[in-house]
Amino acid sequence: MKKLFLGVFIILFIFSINALDNDLAYATVKIFNQSQSNVAYTPWEMTGVRGATGSGVVIDKGVILTNAHVVADSRFLTIQKYDDPKKYQAEVIYAGHDCDVALIDVVENRDEFYDGVTYMELGEMPQLRAKVNTIGYPTGGNKLSITEGVVSRIEYQTYSHDGFRRHLAVQTDAAINPGNSGGPVVKNGKLVGLAFQGSTRGQNIGYFIPLFVIKHFLEDIETGEYNGFPMAGFSYEELRSPTLRKYLNVSEDYGIYVKNVVKNTPAYEKLKPGDVILKIDGNKIEEDGTVKTEWGYLNKLHLLDSKHIGDEAVYTIIRNGRKKEVTLNYFHWEPSINRSSLYDRNFLYYTIAGYVFTPLSRDYLESWGSEWFRDADFHQRYYYYEFEDIDDKRDEIIVLSKVLPDPVNMYTREFENSVIEKINGRNIRHFNELVTRFENLKVKDDVDFIHIEIEGADKPIIIPKDELEQADLRIKENYNLPSLRRVK
Amino acid sequence: MIKKTFIILLIIIMNFSIEGADPENFIVEIKSISQSYLEYIPWQRTSVRNRSGNGVVINNEYVLTTADLIKNNVLVELKKQGKNNVWEGYVLHADYDAGLALVKPVNDEFFEGLEVPEFSSNYSKGSPLTIGRRLSDGRLAYHQAALTEIDARSILYGSNIYLALKANTMMQRGGNSEIAFNNKGEIIGLCYSFGDNEVNIIPYETIENYINNYSTDEYSGFPANYLKKLPLNDDNLRDFLELTDDKTGVMIANYNMGMPYSEFFKKYDVLLKVEGYDVDNSGLIKSDKFGRIDFNILFNIDKQPGDFLNVEIFRDGKVLNEKLKLDKFNKDDYLIPDHILDERPDFIVYGGLLMSELTKSFLQEWGSEWVKRAPVKLVKKYSDYFMRKSDTKDNIVILREVFAHDINRGYQNLSYMIISKVNDVPVSHLKDVKKALNKNVEYDVIEFENTAFKVVFKRDEVLKSNYNIEKIYSITESQYFSE
């Protein structure tokens, strides 16, 4: 009798696992992306076409989730479902590059595609040590792969697709390999995250984007567009010194110190350098900048990530020894130097006499190679790291990215990769101003020369106006430029 | 028979090449025992180094050698050729910019039996030279060489540009005060560095100027000549400056402050002639003796600070003939000093915070690729200000690192921050920090550039902890200031 029971149990168990696996398998898709992007230092050029595969998960009809990095800069996208050799053409509907989540949908033979596909249910945030499975189409074969592991850590991590921004991420020892990206991580048959990145520094360190972030993305797109996670616009220092606390008249044993506030951001004119932030929306900010959550102490960014663009937050601060409350409205703003990698868009540039100007961005610096943070021109690195804190002459840093050799610019090629300071004696605040300034100088009769001053250089670049028109035509043709500019 | 003759002939030639006087009578051995300071723990010195090289008797008082040999010197030992006794000596004077130094024995009896050699500027490109090198057992060996280049360069730790020679030789090691003779046995210079089968030589012209200058009441050094020249090959730039094709010259880099002659030269000035020599579009002049060479050498080859130089400049479409008064080169003019030799870096340790002035030597602790590896804000400071000295800011003072202790909790992650104020006193020199910390306050407040974050100590608490920190980290002195 006992033996029989055991047999039934095993059979039932196997059966239930299989049924579950099948459901999961039919909700998991393989994604093929042909992508092409813009070259940051020669912005009129496109890279070669690159093919890559990733995974995705269907949570509803028309709602296929994957990583933004799987479908970034897409030129042609196809999806294959489980146990079906056919590829269906798809499109990116929303891409959240800051949180590496994208929503795609099939656009050809849609009903046929969704026939037989299962929809994975959303689960909950897993706790530490919870068992999870990663499902997808990683490298090493063509068929669906399922790996198993436990949740080993929950904290804020840099999302490498963006390169700069940090969000909540869950670390697991379940193998996550190239091709797994965008595939579901499940617990008890329910979706708990999207596999997205691994660490090359250790062993068995994989990360998935938890539901907390995915839900933020899904709520965000309900507005009909993707707005992204809010950014407050200030930097802070831990406030661990008891003496500094006393000096600042902070009697509480928590709070952080505002180091800098970026102009024209939600924090601008609301917070001031030197303020101590005690609470955000009533949540205590600990001396190291963390906040207590159901998943333990997390970076205070968590409070920001809990909000959407357009939301408000109340900051309890101490300013000049006095406690007060200020309300920040988390509006959308563009940083003056993009420290995040950009996708699905083309870089701006302006060419005159073979000199190519473009705004400084992370993508531009990355064109110096993987060691860009060392190899890139140090003026540019300096601005990349320190700009917000220092400059009131400019809103944007504009670089002379390339000199396309021509008789008109002979002897000035040494200026490639430099930062520009002035045009005909005037400081240039941003890229648009550069464009207007050049255009105005071109038509101004009493100006014979356009002269450009470069930071750190002692001689100016001189463009003789009488040669300019011919030179621009020549350069455009010789270097096969589709256009001399791409401006806003 | 033929072979024998050849050998005899060769020996005769070798002897002839250093004929005139026996080098043993004027070349002495100098042993320099040195120890430098560690930038990152400035109360400690490096291990002791022992180098030996040559000195040339100049008169009955001192011996000439290269500044490199006696850098960071603690003790000098002198030895005469073929004699065993060691004479104690000391560094009388060193000019690291020109690469030359004078050494003096404590007892003048040292000079008995020694004589003064013949110096000469009798050399030309391609002429044969003999290089006298010291062997490890103290004897002198001689190597054939040929003068390959006459150039203008800065010397090792220097900033100014001097006349410098380069000679090809089969010598495998050297570059440290070897003596260069011409084929008449006259000394034409001292070697200061060594490359692949070639040595660099400080020529007699610089030596003569150095000795002459030293012999005056007060050593005034060499005139500053670090003029940054910008080639004028670019037709657009020439048109912009309205410089006609018959004129050649270079544009002088425009610095607002601190550059030598910054008050003399104006923005977009073109230097056409120096001392009657035409300056070409890349900044060279044509000299009968040296060939085509950087115009900068005319500033110091036979001139001293205070002398005048005839220059022709092109300014605002006009040619101007001017007399340029030569400035003294002063390394203190540098906002960020280039190399600190013989000197101990100034520092203060207060509440576990190590504060000192930014120097190039400090940046070079990041290795030869320091421009890439050192903190970018410090590199930028160096690039912006290395030659400039403003009225308001003399030096850059940095919080280098924090020696962790309970008193500095909350500040232990701070490093390489530029200090702007201490106790409301603007900081442009480390001495300002010292002064500010002597102010009677309840709280010491240290502020930094580009951040609102500050370090605050309670004065009575920090004073109590200073001794404790020094003990824990074996800090032998809490501050040092060179006078």
Side-chain angles (χ1 to χ4, degrees):
Chain A
M1 184 63 201
K2 207 176 174 185
K3 215 173 176 178
L4 183 68
F5 175 69
L6 195 70
V8 170
F9 176 77
I10 290 168
I11 292 163
L12 276 178
F13 186 71
I14 291 168
F15 178 74
S16 74
I17 285 284
N18 267 342
L20 190 67
D21 279 357
N22 262 337
D23 274 356
L24 298 176
Y26 279 107
T28 308
V29 295
K30 187 172 186 177
I31 299 167
F32 302 81
N33 184 25
Q34 298 289 314
S35 68
Q36 195 186 29
S37 55
N38 194 207
V39 183
Y41 62 96
T42 47
W44 59 90
E45 288 179 335
M46 300 303 286
T47 60
V49 176
R50 232 172 49 124
T53 66
S55 308
V57 56
V58 189
I59 59 168
D60 202 347
K61 187 167 182 178
V63 186
I64 304 169
L65 293 180
T66 182
N67 285 149
H69 77 257
V70 169
V71 297
D73 297 311
S74 179
R75 293 292 177 269
F76 186 70
L77 195 64
T78 50
I79 304 184
Q80 212 174 12
K81 55 182 178 174
Y82 181 64
D83 213 17
D84 182 353
K86 196 173 171 184
K87 279 183 181 176
Y88 296 80
Q89 198 183 335
E91 259 177 25
V92 179
I93 311 297
Y94 298 103
H97 292 294
D98 62 341
C99 66
D100 206 2
V101 180
L103 190 153
I104 59 174
D105 192 14
V106 171
V107 290
E108 170 206 53
N109 300 327
R110 210 161 166 264
D111 291 337
E112 184 190 323
F113 173 82
Y114 284 106
D115 184 31
V117 162
T118 52
Y119 303 137
M120 200 177 286
E121 256 182 81
L122 302 190
E124 287 171 353
M125 273 292 288
Q127 295 299 322
L128 283 177
R129 291 182 64 197
K131 229 180 231 176
V132 289
N133 292 93
T134 309
I135 309 172
Y137 293 90
T139 176
N142 288 321
K143 297 232 170 182
L144 189 81
S145 139
I146 303 183
T147 58
E148 189 178 272
V150 294
V151 168
S152 35
R153 182 143 56 185
I154 304 175
E155 70 179 331
Y156 270 69
Q157 302 279 356
T158 303
Y159 275 36
S160 62
H161 177 57
D162 177 277
F164 177 67
R165 300 195 63 177
R166 292 190 297 156
H167 300 290
L168 193 61
V170 180
Q171 187 187 317
T172 173
D173 61 350
I176 293 180
N177 290 303
N180 262 126
S181 284
V185 177
V186 298
K187 184 186 161 221
N188 299 333
K190 288 184 178 172
L191 181 73
V192 294
L194 297 177
F196 82 124
Q197 65 189 30
S199 169
T200 47
R201 264 185 271 175
Q203 286 177 337
N204 297 333
I205 300 179
Y207 297 98
F208 63 86
I209 300 170
L211 275 185
F212 175 79
V213 176
I214 298 169
K215 281 182 175 162
H216 189 284
F217 171 84
L218 292 171
E219 286 159 14
D220 187 326
I221 58 174
E222 279 173 18
T223 59
E225 58 176 348
Y226 181 71
N227 299 299
F229 285 70
M231 291 187 284
F234 69 91
S235 59
Y236 72 94
E237 191 74 50
E238 296 177 355
L239 192 50
R240 289 188 190 267
S241 163
T243 322
L244 186 55
R245 264 172 202 291
K246 210 165 157 191
Y247 178 78
L248 297 167
N249 203 12
V250 179
S251 52
E252 292 80 358
D253 60 353
Y254 51 90
I256 51 171
Y257 189 94
V258 178
K259 271 204 303 191
N260 283 304
V261 179
V262 185
K263 242 185 267 171
N264 307 324
T265 62
Y268 187 56
E269 289 182 338
K270 294 289 172 65
L271 296 177
K272 293 214 158 68
D275 285 353
V276 173
I277 301 174
L278 293 176
K279 290 179 180 176
I280 300 175
D281 287 333
N283 300 288
K284 263 201 249 173
I285 309 296
E286 300 297 331
E287 60 177 24
D288 62 348
T290 58
V291 61
K292 196 168 186 184
T293 72
E294 54 188 302
W295 308 295
Y297 283 96
L298 293 177
N299 189 296
K300 64 148 187 53
L301 280 174
H302 193 64
L303 297 174
L304 203 60
D305 280 4
S306 311
K307 299 273 182 168
H308 285 279
I309 297 287
D311 288 353
E312 288 184 341
V314 177
Y315 284 58
T316 311
I317 60 167
I318 292 184
R319 178 177 299 161
N320 301 329
R322 261 183 244 144
K323 203 180 271 188
K324 64 187 275 182
E325 285 191 344
V326 289
T327 304
L328 269 67
N329 175 359
Y330 292 142
F331 56 81
H332 176 80
W333 58 281
E334 291 279 344
S336 48
I337 294 177
N338 262 309
R339 291 171 174 84
S340 298
S341 300
L342 302 179
Y343 303 92
D344 295 330
R345 64 160 128 167
N346 292 325
F347 301 106
L348 303 177
Y349 70 94
Y350 183 90
T351 308
I352 183 167
Y355 302 105
V356 184
F357 299 94
T358 186
L360 180 64
S361 64
R362 184 193 183 91
D363 293 280
Y364 177 79
L365 286 170
E366 280 181 346
S367 58
W368 288 79
S370 58
E371 297 259 293
W372 62 270
F373 46 86
R374 282 196 183 131
D375 293 340
D377 171 74
F378 77 86
H379 291 280
Q380 296 176 8
R381 282 187 288 133
Y382 173 70
Y383 286 118
Y384 178 80
Y385 290 114
E386 311 274 335
F387 178 67
E388 241 94 36
D389 301 341
I390 46 169
D391 218 301
D392 47 8
K393 289 201 297 274
R394 294 182 271 206
D395 301 330
E396 205 168 39
I397 300 296
I398 302 157
V399 293
L400 167 54
S401 70
K402 204 132 197 81
V403 182
L404 300 170
D406 182 84
V408 77
N409 56 39
M410 214 159 25
Y411 302 111
T412 56
R413 279 151 219 168
E414 73 214 60
F415 293 125
E416 237 173 47
N417 277 312
S418 52
V419 173
I420 89 142
E421 205 164 288
K422 285 176 183 175
I423 298 172
N424 284 37
R426 208 185 290 167
N427 285 315
I428 298 295
R429 288 204 78 88
H430 45 72
F431 185 72
N432 280 0
E433 195 176 300
L434 169 123
V435 175
T436 355
R437 185 101 177 104
F438 276 132
E439 291 299 308
N440 287 344
L441 286 169
K442 272 188 192 174
V443 294
K444 235 176 155 196
D445 287 337
D446 56 339
V447 174
D448 296 331
F449 298 98
I450 294 176
H451 55 106
I452 304 161
E453 289 175 52
I454 301 290
E455 189 162 308
D458 296 292
K459 65 176 182 183
I461 290 176
I462 305 289
I463 306 170
K465 265 177 61 186
D466 53 354
E467 292 175 37
L468 186 55
E469 202 176 311
Q470 284 302 314
D472 274 346
L473 282 173
R474 202 165 53 225
I475 289 162
K476 188 167 185 270
E477 197 180 311
N478 285 349
Y479 293 95
N480 202 15
L481 303 185
S483 165
L484 286 171
R485 74 192 65 174
R486 185 186 295 126
V487 297
K488 269 177 209 162
Chain B
M1 184 60 201
I2 294 170
K3 204 172 176 188
K4 212 170 176 180
T5 320
F6 176 69
I7 291 168
I8 292 165
L9 198 68
L10 187 74
I11 290 167
I12 292 167
I13 291 171
M14 283 279 285
N15 275 337
F16 179 71
S17 70
I18 43 171
E19 196 86 51
D22 182 358
E24 294 214 345
N25 293 339
F26 54 80
I27 299 179
V28 298
E29 183 180 350
I30 297 176
K31 204 169 255 180
S32 168
I33 292 102
S34 65
Q35 218 183 11
S36 57
Y37 291 91
L38 292 167
E39 285 271 347
Y40 53 97
I41 26 177
W43 49 90
Q44 269 187 46
R45 283 184 163 209
T46 58
S47 54
V48 175
R49 258 190 99 187
N50 207 326
R51 299 172 83 198
S52 66
N54 302 307
V56 182
V57 176
I58 293 295
N59 51 28
N60 276 341
E61 284 177 44
Y62 43 77
V63 168
L64 175 79
T65 187
T66 55
D68 186 36
L69 181 69
I70 50 85
K71 68 173 182 226
N72 299 314
N73 182 271
V74 182
L75 180 71
V76 173
E77 288 175 356
L78 296 157
K79 248 171 120 178
K80 295 199 257 188
Q81 292 300 296
K83 303 272 166 34
N84 281 330
N85 21 350
V86 174
W87 301 71
E88 189 193 338
Y90 58 93
V91 177
L92 187 63
H93 184 260
D95 186 329
Y96 288 103
D97 197 67
L100 294 171
L102 298 172
V103 167
K104 190 172 166 56
V106 171
N107 189 340
D108 281 347
E109 282 172 23
F110 172 77
F111 291 100
E112 278 174 21
L114 293 174
E115 51 191 79
V116 179
E118 290 291 323
F119 284 90
S120 161
S121 58
N122 194 352
Y123 59 82
S124 58
K125 246 186 235 183
S127 63
L129 303 178
T130 303
I131 309 284
R133 175 170 74 95
R134 183 143 321 262
L135 298 171
S136 54
D137 61 7
R139 288 178 304 149
L140 280 169
Y142 297 98
H143 296 262
Q144 298 286 1
L147 186 59
T148 51
E149 270 179 55
I150 302 176
D151 202 0
R153 273 195 299 271
S154 58
I155 315 284
L156 292 181
Y157 310 102
S159 310
N160 281 309
I161 293 166
Y162 295 86
L163 187 66
L165 314 178
K166 200 170 254 185
N168 225 322
T169 169
M170 294 304 284
M171 204 165 88
Q172 291 305 313
R173 281 184 304 126
N176 182 10
S177 71
E178 288 80 13
I179 316 294
F181 299 93
N182 64 12
N183 56 7
K184 287 188 185 142
E186 297 159 334
I187 296 178
I188 62 135
L190 293 187
C191 304
Y192 69 92
S193 74
F194 182 78
D196 285 339
N197 292 333
E198 61 181 22
V199 284
N200 293 299
I201 302 165
I202 299 170
Y204 174 57
E205 282 82 352
T206 310
I207 293 173
E208 185 187 28
N209 203 348
Y210 174 61
I211 304 282
N212 286 346
N213 199 330
Y214 184 75
S215 311
T216 58
D217 291 344
E218 196 186 346
Y219 182 75
S220 58
F222 285 79
N225 73 353
Y226 193 79
L227 287 166
K228 201 171 163 197
K229 50 181 188 176
L230 308 165
L232 273 183
N233 302 318
D234 182 359
D235 285 339
N236 298 338
L237 189 56
R238 294 177 67 91
D239 291 348
F240 173 71
L241 298 168
E242 295 173 14
L243 196 65
T244 48
D245 285 349
D246 58 319
K247 292 190 185 66
T248 63
V250 282
M251 213 163 96
I252 299 300
N254 172 257
Y255 289 99
N256 300 325
M257 304 168 286
M259 271 299 285
Y261 319 113
S262 58
E263 283 168 15
F264 183 85
F265 290 107
K266 302 254 181 309
K267 193 174 183 177
Y268 299 151
D269 267 4
V270 178
L271 186 65
L272 302 173
K273 281 185 186 179
V274 182
E275 292 286 273
Y277 288 97
D278 285 323
V279 178
D280 76 9
N281 286 337
S282 45
L284 304 180
I285 53 152
K286 195 156 188 268
S287 136
D288 291 341
K289 181 160 172 60
F290 310 122
R292 279 160 57 78
I293 196 158
D294 193 315
F295 75 84
N296 270 300
I297 65 150
L298 296 172
F299 280 62
N300 65 17
I301 195 157
D302 53 2
K303 300 274 183 208
Q304 298 203 346
D307 289 352
F308 286 90
L309 206 62
N310 294 308
V311 293
E312 191 175 294
I313 49 179
F314 184 79
R315 179 182 298 162
D316 300 329
K318 283 187 212 111
V319 176
L320 306 172
N321 278 293
E322 300 280 341
K323 280 197 181 304
L324 171 65
K325 191 177 178 193
L326 294 172
D327 282 347
K328 179 179 168 180
F329 167 74
N330 185 358
K331 74 177 172 57
D332 293 336
D333 287 346
Y334 289 70
L335 181 60
I336 299 172
D338 232 28
H339 289 272
I340 304 283
L341 293 166
D342 294 345
E343 282 173 30
R344 185 172 180 184
D346 292 355
F347 69 89
I348 294 179
V349 184
Y350 190 78
L353 272 61
L354 170 59
M355 296 172 270
S356 64
E357 285 173 10
L358 181 61
T359 61
K360 190 173 175 188
S361 316
F362 172 64
L363 291 168
Q364 283 171 331
E365 286 192 358
W366 275 272
S368 57
E369 293 212 311
W370 61 270
V371 173
K372 291 182 176 183
R373 291 170 192 269
V376 68
K377 61 184 169 192
L378 300 186
V379 177
K380 181 83 164 71
K381 276 273 183 243
Y382 179 78
S383 121
D384 284 356
Y385 295 112
F386 77 113
M387 284 297 285
R388 302 176 197 195
K389 192 164 174 164
S390 75
D391 298 336
T392 51
K393 203 159 174 65
D394 290 331
N395 283 74
I396 311 270
V397 179
I398 50 173
L399 161 60
R400 187 165 287 194
E401 64 173 300
V402 179
F403 295 99
H405 181 269
D406 190 48
I407 193 80
N408 53 42
R409 210 147 35 105
Y411 311 133
Q412 289 155 8
N413 295 331
L414 305 177
S415 61
Y416 312 129
M417 312 261 289
I418 297 163
I419 298 174
S420 59
K421 275 186 190 174
V422 175
N423 294 338
D424 273 334
V425 176
V427 170
S428 56
H429 196 283
L430 194 64
K431 281 186 176 138
D432 299 330
V433 176
K434 186 182 176 180
K435 216 165 82 186
L437 292 175
N438 282 333
K439 263 175 86 173
N440 195 10
V441 289
E442 188 188 353
Y443 287 99
D444 284 309
V445 181
I446 303 172
E447 295 173 69
F448 307 95
E449 246 182 58
N450 299 334
T451 173
F453 192 67
K454 48 188 97 173
V455 168
V456 176
F457 289 127
K458 196 141 191 299
R459 175 64 69 80
D460 53 357
E461 288 172 9
V462 76
L463 290 181
K464 266 185 244 159
S465 65
N466 276 344
Y467 175 72
N468 195 238
I469 295 171
E470 286 162 25
K471 219 168 133 191
I472 295 168
Y473 291 97
S474 307
I475 300 169
T476 50
E477 279 162 288
S478 62
Q479 52 175 268
Y480 175 81
F481 284 90
S482 53
E483 286 312 321

